[in-house]
């Protein structure tokens, strides 16, 4: 029974990590990296199972964050030749590179992560209720 609770908890931790990355993407949308390039979106990659814990059958239950990768999607460009960050030469001369964070996509990802988190909370509460009922029947 506790395996089911562990699965729900691992899902909540994973979705919380996704929401943290989404929040960072939105907050840093207008900022630049140390190398002078615009901020690139971070994407959380999830994988099945928890590598730290396995069951008696040898299978890992739940989900975990396998990595947080930096998006390689292209930058957007705005025409602004007077901006100090404007590209000086080449085909994009006079343009300023903008972050690849799309606020609409981030909003949808945030809604999806929130709903998944809520579903895991509901599953954990149902598991707790089943355990409580089983203990009442045993007493």
């Amino acid at each position: 029974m506790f395996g089911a609770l562990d699965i729900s908890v691992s899902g909540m931790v994973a979705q919380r990590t996704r929401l943290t990355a989404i929040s960072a993407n939105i907050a840093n949308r207008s900022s630049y990296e140390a190398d002078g390039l615009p901020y690139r979106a971070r994407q959380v990659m999830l994988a099945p199972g928890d590598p730290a814990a396995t069951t008696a059958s040898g299978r890992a239950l739940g989900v975990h964050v396998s990595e947080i990768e930096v998006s390689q999607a292209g930058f957007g460009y705005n025409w602004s030749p007077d901006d100090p960050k404007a590209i000086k030469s080449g085909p994009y001369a006079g343009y300023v590179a903008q972050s690849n964070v799309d606020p609409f996509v981030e909003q949808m990802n945030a809604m999806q992560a929130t709903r998944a988190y809520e579903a895991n909370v509901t599953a954990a509460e149902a598991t707790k209720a089943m355990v409580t009922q089983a203990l009442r029947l045993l007493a």
Side-chain angles (χ1 to χ4, degrees), residues 53-69:
T54 58
T55 62
S57 65
R59 293 182 301 154
L61 301 175
V63 66
H64 72 280
V65 175
S66 62
E67 69 177 303
I68 299 175
E69 72 176 27

Side-chain angles (χ1 to χ4, degrees), residues 74-98:
F75 295 121
Y77 293 94
N78 286 339
W79 175 253
S80 183
D82 298 331
D83 193 311
K85 294 198 182 290
I87 298 169
K88 304 297 181 219
S89 62
Y92 290 104
Y95 286 89
V96 177
Q98 300 294 314

Side-chain angles (χ1 to χ4, degrees), residues 9 15 17 29 37 44 52 61 63 68-69 74 81 88-89 92 96 104 108 115-116 129 133 137:
V9 170
Q15 297 308 324
T17 304
R29 182 171 170 245
L37 292 174
V44 176
L61 301 175
V63 66
I68 299 175
E69 72 176 27
K88 304 297 181 219
S89 62
Y92 290 104
V96 177
F104 299 111
M108 291 300 109
R115 298 295 185 264
Q133 187 63 23
L137 292 173

Side-chain angles (χ1 to χ4, degrees), residues 12-13 16 23-24 75 116 128:
M12 286 187 278
V13 169
R16 184 187 66 208
S23 299
F75 295 121
K128 282 178 27 183

Side-chain angles (χ1 to χ4, degrees), residues 28 31-42 70 75 85 99:
N28 292 309
S31 64
Y32 287 83
E33 302 279 358
D35 59 6
L37 292 174
Y39 177 84
R40 287 189 179 271
R42 279 28 176 198
V70 178
F75 295 121
K85 294 198 182 290
S99 175

